[in-house]
Amino acid sequence: EIHVCGETMNKEEERVKRVELDVPKSHSKLIENDEGESHPLREYRALTIGDDDDKDNQLQCLLVRDRTIEKAALSTTVYPAGQLHDGLDWPGRAHLLEHLLFLGSTPFPKENELDSWLTQHGGHSNAYTDLEMTCYYMDCMVEAIEGTMERWSAALREPLLSTDVVEREIMAVDSEHAKNKPQDYWRIYQLSKTLLAPPESHPYGQFGSGCCGSLLPLSGVAATTEGKDKAADESQKAARIEALRQAVVEFWDLHYTASNISVAVLSSHPLDEIEALVRKHFCNLPKKKSDTIIPTTPPLPRPNACRRVDYVPIKPVYTLELHWPLREIDSLYLEKPTRLLSHLLGDEGPGSLLHVLRHERPWVQELSADNGSRSTSGFSIFILSMELTPMGWEHVDEIITISCAYIKLLADFAKDGLPAHVYQELKLMGDMQFDFLGIPSSAADTVSFLSAQMPSYKDPRHYLSGNFRYFADKLDETALQNDFIKNMEPENMLVFVGAPEYGQELVATPVGSDIGAGVWLTDKWYGTMYKITTVDSTTLAKWKNPNHELVSHLHLPEPNEFLPSNFDLVSLPETTMKQFFGSKESPPVCLRNDHDVQLWYKPDTAFSMPKVNIFVSFPVPSQDTSSSAGSVISALWTEWQNEVANIFAYAASMAGLHGEWVPNSKRSTIELHVSGYSHKAALFLRRLLETTVGTTGTTSDGDAPSLDEQLWERLVHKMRDQYQSFLMAEVYQHAIYYLDQTLEAVPAPRTIEQRIIELEQQKMEDLTAYHNKVFLSSKGLQILVHGNLAPQEALDLAKAIPQILQGQKGSGNKADGPENDGEDLPAPVIPKRTTLQQRIVQLPANSNFVFRGKTWNTENTNHCALLYYPFGIVDLSTNATISFARHLIAEPSYNQLRTQEQLGYIVHSQLKTSGDHVKGLLLLVQGEAKDPVHMDTRIRVFWQTVRTLLVDMPEAEFLSHRRALYENFMESKKNLLSESASHWSLITNQTFHFERIKKIAKHLQDKTKDDVLRLIDRFILFGSSISIQMFGQGVELPNIENGDSTVAISDPIEFGCTQGLHPLPSTRDVKVVNLLS
């Protein structure tokens, strides 16, 4: 017998409705287990648990069996239960409940019980609150999935929601808001919400994230410090907290019912066993009360006029966004009409909106068309976003004119009929993407995606395919015109323009001033400075009837030449597979190793997908890319070549084939990465190389951009934006940046400031000289071919690449400099190092180094304290102990430093590798409430607490942690790209230690509690450390007092140049194998 929602019934009496799902071909293919039995890679079961006569209390479930996984995962999505349901009085209530649900239940009252359980069993948890839903997800070792279900179902069913936890977690929500405040995305998101939907009349306009000011406002009460008044303040605060707690309980009671919850589970257990576990633990979720009604999300009000909003951005970049409120699109997933609009408006090929605005005029750097990120059951918002150049900002009205012209072009085609290939190609690409759907990198990613998708599809058959397939044979062009294009007119548009110049002219005025005059206002929640103007009738008329000289350059994309048609899988002889690739974890083998090329190869042994990854590393002998000048010019060169290739590479990316030039300043190399369907991958790589070889500084073929002054200025501006964006990044990223500068000794300074200076000093002639002379070497290449190509095809590529590059050598312009007199560049000796390697500082023993700095972002009030403990070059056994120590502190550090002490929203620990082999342990906290000196002190105290926890830890719990970490080490890669990246890093660092992780795991199995305690004592409590303390704005930097063991660092680079250095790692011999005989 089973217990279902308060009643006891026989299993046979329970109503369980199962549905056959549309499953990807890649998941239904048969594979063999160790016993030689065949079974599908993944098996799915969708079921509805509950009585058909009581649909209000039916639970939707999706179960997944994968015999190959090392971890199980669970996700629940609660819908409707999102920001739109907070209510006017409690902005952020849904988000607060998301935090609280992890902090104890009646059956499991210990606050960190769930996270402690998950960590002990190799897992983790996370969640997010969206507009209409809240999604929770977690993973663990397979055998722990029932315990995870038991704890999580208890949290859904009987959360504690105690007053003290509510009060404390308000600070966590506030800290998260403090992290988001200095980010332009959140600031414009809230502005758009407020202006499209006034919060007093529509829930979309409300503040959904929450903060102290929204959850715990004490308006009208002045804080005091004396006796009776202070007591009155505390009494009012306590009353507000209790009222908030009751509001949260009411929200949970209304929304967290069985009919609103979707459950997704992934495990290696048989589906019948997974189903039994789900029914055992989730069948008694709260029932929906018969008299409760959750309001539906209403459509957005239609704008009365087209308005322009100018705002001051945090990052010094120029942006333009066009927002159109439209009808809901969830019910149209069979056709996906707005995805077609997004595809056409976001196209980057010849004739596209971006191509015209980027190449015919140097106005736009990047463009994206977003049709779904702000989609709800009541409305959707279509957003056309552009990153502008400074010149583009001066021509915003013209850019909008040309954008409206492209929309008018689509309207004309919708009336007369779109070319057949447009919709059919999307339909084919959707089928391809679904049929060859890869496995996400983690089990938690799988279930969180699935449970979040389930509420969108009324037909459970489409839980998996609904997001990918175009089910209609033909597009309804009349509906496309009437429902969408017709409503994307200028009168229905909200325009956002961001420019750093606005910050120099504004004078803020109180909220509520006459906005018709275009005065500057301040957003209530993020402090964004903005002004609103109504677009005048003359400008509006130009947008409605666009007539611009560039309009004639616009046209729809041509048929895509890169769509694959051959999905056959390559097979190697059985003897070859057994000898070299006997398991799916087998490393790649070297097929060629000479002065020209070192070629590594591995077939797809794990995923049986018609895809391949090809990585090529080119030494750059002309200039040191690890110096500021070298890194800047190589980055400019790769940006240029990616843009040249984008004329055809964008179409390839739409067909699932991606190519990109990437500078690798760490290796002093430039890399070319090609990934995707194998059918045309080799052809695509050759075309990328031939295009680069054929590019000169002054001319180019066809639509490809030549390097003129306009393109040069745009490339420099793009690089400048990237550097400036880093200056506006999270404070903890700045802390890690200074730590790296302290640890990494390099030949020349490479600070971000130095790179910005070097960028401004570069000239177009420098880039053309870099390109036309010796931009790439045809000697000393490293190549990895991994996936669905035969060994002979890999060898053919390795032969062709140097030949293509050598053809380039004779095409240089003599005016650019002297020729090479026919002599080859010096040939490297493989496997000796041919590229510059980072040298890592060796810190003196028993010293504590402290650096204090200020974040560059003048709007960021967050602080960060980072403590780094160096271990140096360690053997595999010590590496295993360090990894174990980091695993053991992960949950306690989060619980103590964030949940209990509320030091900040971000608490992060990691085993850090500097260079290729120098190890250290890092622990950081970022938050607004406490300064970094206090954070630093608390982190050091925390290590004492950890030692005590470890001493008192029961042996069984310790062994459970050890096994969990072992399983993490042994976990196989979940997709081809992640496996390729792992192999590539070991090839380019020339250690070729492919079995390193497995050997560390083997050492881990012998580790004892005493091993970890000795390591903590020696290296953490009584060893050396580097403390990076980053101060947010509004706080002065305190002086550092040098002591017996405390040393102030004033300049990280100068510090690194005065310390000893660790030796470079040794290389390993490379054995060449012949797979053709």
Side-chain angles (χ1 to χ4, degrees):
E1 293 186 333
I2 57 174
H3 191 69
V4 183
C5 304
E7 300 178 15
T8 301
M9 60 177 67
N10 292 324
K11 178 178 179 180
E12 291 75 18
E13 296 174 356
E14 186 183 7
R15 302 296 297 274
V16 177
K17 182 179 179 182
R18 299 176 182 173
V19 177
E20 193 74 22
L21 276 82
D22 187 8
V23 176
K25 291 180 180 177
S26 57
H27 293 190
S28 57
K29 67 177 182 290
L30 297 179
I31 60 175
E32 281 192 5
N33 59 20
D34 294 338
E35 288 74 35
E37 300 170 337
S38 297
H39 56 78
L41 173 62
R42 285 195 163 177
E43 300 170 77
Y44 292 87
R45 178 179 296 173
L47 61 146
T48 301
I49 300 178
D51 199 315
D52 283 342
D53 297 331
D54 188 13
K55 293 185 181 296
D56 285 342
N57 288 295
Q58 291 182 331
L59 181 70
Q60 303 299 323
C61 305
L62 180 55
L63 316 180
V64 188
R65 184 189 190 188
D66 186 333
R67 295 168 173 83
T68 68
I69 61 171
E70 296 86 355
K71 281 188 178 180
L74 163 69
S75 178
T76 56
T77 291
V78 190
Y79 172 94
Q83 298 173 7
L84 298 186
H85 308 99
D86 281 337
L88 268 175
D89 295 332
W90 308 102
R93 175 168 56 161
H95 185 201
L96 177 61
L97 177 56
E98 172 217 305
H99 281 240
L100 294 171
L101 223 65
F102 288 103
L103 300 177
S105 62
T106 301
F108 300 96
K110 184 180 175 183
E111 282 185 21
N112 67 331
E113 168 65 27
L114 176 64
D115 282 341
S116 179
W117 167 268
L118 292 173
T119 302
Q120 185 179 339
H121 295 89
H124 81 295
S125 65
N126 211 336
Y128 63 89
T129 303
D130 210 334
L131 291 172
E132 291 187 302
M133 70 178 184
T134 304
C135 178
Y136 304 87
Y137 51 98
M138 55 210 70
D139 61 12
C140 60
M141 293 161 59
V142 170
E143 63 267 25
I145 188 62
E146 180 170 11
T148 301
M149 286 186 182
E150 183 181 14
R151 286 160 176 79
W152 182 241
S153 61
L156 290 170
R157 190 175 61 250
E158 303 175 75
L160 282 183
L161 307 179
S162 60
T163 302
D164 59 328
V165 174
V166 169
E167 181 176 7
R168 199 177 339 110
E169 213 55 28
I170 291 171
M171 302 307 299
V173 171
D174 191 70
S175 183
E176 185 174 354
H177 176 58
K179 175 185 73 71
N180 296 337
K181 278 184 71 174
Q183 297 182 29
D184 285 320
Y185 168 82
W186 292 103
R187 296 161 81 90
I188 306 314
Y189 181 32
Q190 184 59 44
L191 266 186
S192 173
K193 291 172 65 178
T194 303
L195 297 176
L196 283 174
E200 63 276 2
S201 61
H202 195 288
Y204 180 66
Q206 296 168 17
F207 174 53
S209 297
C211 63
C212 275
S214 70
L215 294 168
L216 201 61
L218 298 177
S219 56
V221 180
T224 63
T225 57
E226 297 181 3
K228 183 177 179 181
D229 292 331
K230 183 177 180 180
D233 289 349
E234 291 298 323
S235 176
Q236 182 176 356
K237 179 181 177 182
R240 176 68 187 188
I241 291 173
E242 179 54 30
L244 173 61
R245 193 191 75 81
Q246 288 295 334
V248 170
V249 171
E250 291 171 3
F251 187 95
W252 166 79
D253 189 53
L254 176 63
H255 294 275
Y256 281 61
T257 60
S259 59
N260 294 341
I261 295 176
S262 301
V263 179
V265 182
L266 168 65
S267 181
S268 60
H269 293 94
L271 288 176
D272 287 345
E273 291 184 19
I274 303 174
E275 180 180 332
L277 291 175
V278 169
R279 293 195 296 113
K280 175 181 178 182
H281 294 291
F282 290 93
C283 66
N284 55 349
L285 293 176
K287 279 189 174 183
K288 178 180 178 182
K289 296 179 176 60
S290 58
D291 58 344
T292 58
I293 298 176
I294 300 175
T296 57
T297 301
L300 289 176
R302 185 177 179 84
N304 296 323
C306 179
R307 292 175 293 170
R308 169 170 168 163
V309 183
D310 296 293
Y311 67 92
V312 182
I314 296 294
K315 294 181 179 179
V317 296
Y318 301 86
T319 55
L320 169 65
E321 290 191 8
L322 309 179
H323 294 214
W324 290 276
L326 302 172
R327 61 158 289 181
E328 61 81 25
I329 59 175
D330 286 359
S331 62
L332 304 176
Y333 75 88
L334 295 176
E335 255 184 33
K336 301 177 174 60
T338 57
R339 195 176 292 185
L340 179 138
L341 291 177
S342 176
H343 169 70
L344 295 174
L345 280 166
D347 184 34
E348 298 183 15
S352 67
L353 181 59
L354 176 60
H355 188 272
V356 170
L357 294 173
R358 178 191 272 174
H359 300 305
E360 301 299 331
R361 296 288 189 276
W363 290 347
V364 175
Q365 294 277 25
E366 304 292 342
L367 180 150
S368 65
D370 177 3
N371 75 301
S373 68
R374 301 182 196 178
S375 171
T376 73
S377 60
F379 63 86
S380 64
I381 301 172
F382 195 100
I383 302 174
L384 190 62
S385 302
M386 303 179 207
E387 182 182 326
L388 309 178
T389 64
M391 188 183 296
W393 173 60
E394 296 172 356
H395 294 83
V396 163
D397 286 354
E398 289 179 79
I399 292 173
I400 297 176
T401 298
I402 298 166
S403 301
C404 291
Y406 197 92
I407 294 172
K408 187 175 184 301
L409 175 70
L410 296 180
D412 293 340
F413 271 109
K415 292 175 185 176
D416 302 332
L418 285 167
H421 74 271
V422 173
Y423 182 76
Q424 290 305 315
E425 283 186 356
L426 278 179
K427 183 176 173 64
L428 176 61
M429 289 186 286
D431 288 343
M432 281 169 34
Q433 189 179 5
F434 181 67
D435 286 339
F436 300 106
L437 190 63
I439 302 297
S441 57
S442 75
D445 289 344
T446 295
V447 293
S448 62
F449 171 78
L450 292 175
S451 76
Q453 291 292 303
M454 291 166 67
S456 300
Y457 305 114
K458 301 304 179 185
D459 187 343
R461 291 177 301 174
H462 298 152
Y463 282 166
L464 302 177
S465 60
N467 188 55
F468 302 95
R469 291 200 192 279
Y470 292 76
F471 295 91
D473 292 329
K474 187 177 182 299
L475 179 68
D476 186 344
E477 291 161 339
T478 301
L480 177 70
Q481 166 67 17
N482 294 336
D483 287 347
F484 299 102
I485 297 178
K486 187 177 180 180
N487 290 305
M488 293 175 68
E489 55 192 10
E491 292 95 337
N492 199 36
M493 182 170 65
L494 181 61
V495 179
F496 287 93
V497 181
E501 280 80 355
Y502 293 147
Q504 302 166 12
E505 71 177 53
L506 67 85
V507 177
T509 58
V511 175
S513 299
D514 183 7
I515 63 173
V519 296
W520 286 99
L521 307 170
T522 305
D523 172 65
K524 177 179 180 181
W525 301 112
Y526 289 88
T528 312
M529 310 304 295
Y530 68 101
K531 66 178 178 181
I532 308 173
T533 53
T534 301
V535 176
D536 62 81
S537 58
T538 302
T539 302
L540 200 63
K542 291 180 180 179
W543 294 348
K544 292 182 67 175
N545 300 286
N547 183 18
H548 193 279
E549 61 181 309
L550 295 181
V551 170
S552 62
H553 295 263
L554 298 170
H555 61 79
L556 297 185
E558 299 294 332
N560 194 330
E561 62 179 305
F562 290 101
L563 284 171
S565 57
N566 183 352
F567 304 105
D568 294 340
L569 297 180
V570 169
S571 61
L572 272 64
E574 185 177 349
T575 54
T576 301
M577 293 300 296
K578 286 184 177 181
Q579 182 177 357
F580 297 104
F581 310 109
S583 71
K584 64 180 182 180
E585 292 88 10
S586 297
V589 297
C590 186
L591 300 186
R592 177 180 169 185
N593 190 21
D594 53 43
H595 287 180
D596 291 334
V597 171
Q598 185 184 74
L599 171 65
W600 293 85
Y601 170 81
K602 183 185 177 183
D604 177 3
T605 58
F607 309 105
S608 300
M609 300 281 269
K611 297 181 179 182
V612 68
N613 297 316
I614 307 171
F615 300 157
V616 188
S617 177
F618 303 87
V620 185
S622 59
Q623 199 164 7
D624 172 17
T625 62
S626 69
S627 69
S628 295
S631 65
V632 168
I633 198 71
S634 63
L636 282 169
W637 185 87
T638 54
E639 287 288 351
W640 176 30
Q641 293 309 309
N642 285 329
E643 189 156 309
V644 169
N646 200 53
I647 301 303
F648 60 87
Y650 180 79
S653 70
M654 291 296 97
L657 195 54
H658 306 275
E660 182 181 22
W661 290 97
V662 181
N664 189 336
S665 59
K666 182 178 180 180
R667 306 288 178 206
S668 187
T669 60
I670 286 176
E671 297 181 1
L672 179 59
H673 299 171
V674 170
S675 301
Y677 292 102
S678 54
H679 179 202
K680 300 182 180 181
L683 180 67
F684 180 51
L685 182 139
R686 290 170 186 257
R687 188 164 174 185
L688 286 168
L689 284 170
E690 289 166 355
T691 300
T692 292
V693 167
T695 305
T696 69
T698 55
T699 62
S700 59
D701 297 329
D703 294 298
S706 58
L707 185 59
D708 55 19
E709 285 291 344
Q710 287 188 340
L711 176 55
W712 167 254
E713 287 298 326
R714 200 157 49 73
L715 291 173
V716 170
H717 178 73
K718 187 172 184 178
M719 288 297 304
R720 187 185 299 123
D721 280 354
Q722 291 177 10
Y723 292 146
Q724 293 291 340
S725 294
F726 174 77
L727 297 181
M728 299 296 108
E730 295 273 17
V731 183
Y732 78 86
Q733 293 175 274
H734 296 160
I736 295 175
Y737 161 80
Y738 279 118
L739 175 65
D740 287 339
Q741 291 207 323
T742 304
L743 294 174
E744 297 171 0
V746 291
R750 55 183 184 85
T751 66
I752 189 69
E753 296 93 342
Q754 185 77 18
R755 291 184 179 182
I756 292 173
I757 293 172
E758 293 284 356
L759 176 65
E760 302 305 331
Q761 293 175 345
Q762 295 289 333
K763 298 180 177 59
M764 186 171 71
E765 294 76 16
D766 299 326
L767 184 55
T768 56
Y770 180 83
H771 175 78
N772 290 334
K773 292 179 184 177
V774 283
F775 74 98
L776 292 178
S777 172
S778 61
K779 305 289 185 181
L781 276 62
Q782 287 186 296
I783 304 172
L784 170 65
V785 177
H786 179 206
N788 193 46
L789 285 183
Q792 184 62 61
E793 293 175 292
L795 288 164
D796 290 345
L797 270 179
K799 180 180 179 181
I801 293 173
Q803 291 175 346
I804 295 173
L805 295 177
Q806 289 163 4
Q808 178 269 343
K809 288 183 181 293
S811 63
N813 190 338
K814 291 185 179 181
D816 292 328
E819 292 185 345
N820 196 30
D821 297 327
E823 294 183 8
D824 288 337
L825 294 170
V829 180
I830 304 290
K832 292 183 179 179
R833 299 184 188 284
T834 62
T835 59
L836 182 69
Q837 301 293 303
Q838 287 180 331
R839 297 297 299 275
I840 306 303
V841 167
Q842 187 169 9
L843 297 176
N846 303 319
S847 297
N848 298 307
F849 299 94
V850 180
F851 172 80
R852 287 178 181 162
K854 197 102 170 177
T855 177
W856 286 283
N857 188 343
T858 57
E859 298 293 324
N860 200 333
T861 57
N862 287 281
H863 314 293
C864 178
L866 180 155
L867 270 167
Y868 171 82
Y869 303 95
F871 296 91
I873 301 173
V874 300
D875 57 25
L876 296 180
S877 178
T878 305
N879 197 325
T881 312
I882 303 170
S883 300
F884 198 6
R886 196 225 65 89
H887 170 84
L888 290 168
I889 70 166
E891 189 280 326
S893 63
Y894 184 90
N895 180 59
Q896 183 64 38
L897 301 176
R898 176 182 159 174
T899 304
Q900 300 300 325
E901 299 189 30
Q902 291 294 325
L903 294 181
Y905 178 73
I906 296 176
V907 175
H908 172 70
S909 61
Q910 73 176 69
L911 173 56
K912 179 175 173 59
T913 302
S914 299
D916 294 311
H917 63 315
V918 179
K919 303 297 180 180
L921 193 59
L922 176 155
L923 179 57
L924 66 81
V925 179
Q926 176 185 301
E928 187 184 40
K930 302 294 182 180
D931 67 63
V933 178
H934 177 82
M935 292 177 177
D936 181 277
T937 301
R938 297 311 302 164
I939 292 174
R940 294 179 189 274
V941 171
F942 164 74
W943 279 107
Q944 295 284 357
T945 305
V946 165
R947 196 187 193 287
T948 302
L949 286 173
L950 187 55
V951 169
D952 296 338
M953 181 180 291
E955 185 66 16
E957 183 178 340
F958 176 84
L959 295 177
S960 178
H961 278 289
R962 191 177 72 183
R963 178 152 184 263
L965 181 59
Y966 175 82
E967 294 293 340
N968 284 346
F969 276 132
M970 299 302 292
E971 189 172 1
S972 59
K973 302 297 182 183
K974 293 298 181 288
N975 55 66
L976 191 72
L977 187 58
S978 62
E979 184 185 347
S980 298
S982 177
H983 295 321
W984 184 239
S985 66
L986 297 169
I987 291 169
T988 55
N989 73 17
Q990 300 186 31
T991 60
F992 314 115
H993 201 163
F994 300 108
E995 69 281 7
R996 177 182 175 83
I997 298 300
K998 296 293 188 290
K999 288 187 175 181
I1000 292 174
K1002 185 176 180 180
H1003 283 285
L1004 177 67
Q1005 291 180 301
D1006 300 326
K1007 295 302 170 186
T1008 65
K1009 191 185 296 186
D1010 286 342
D1011 292 329
V1012 180
L1013 288 171
R1014 280 193 294 268
L1015 181 132
I1016 291 176
D1017 288 343
R1018 178 183 173 187
F1019 291 100
I1020 308 293
L1021 299 179
F1022 301 103
S1024 296
S1025 67
I1026 297 177
S1027 174
I1028 307 291
Q1029 301 173 10
M1030 298 300 300
F1031 289 76
Q1033 297 303 317
V1035 179
E1036 293 298 323
L1037 287 181
N1039 293 327
I1040 303 173
E1041 297 183 4
N1042 287 332
D1044 294 338
S1045 61
T1046 300
V1047 180
I1049 298 176
S1050 57
D1051 184 331
I1053 290 180
E1054 182 180 346
F1055 170 82
C1057 293
T1058 60
Q1059 304 299 312
L1061 301 177
H1062 285 291
L1064 289 171
S1066 59
T1067 61
R1068 306 173 76 188
D1069 292 334
V1070 175
K1071 178 183 178 181
V1072 177
V1073 303
N1074 183 0
L1075 299 184
L1076 303 181
S1077 59

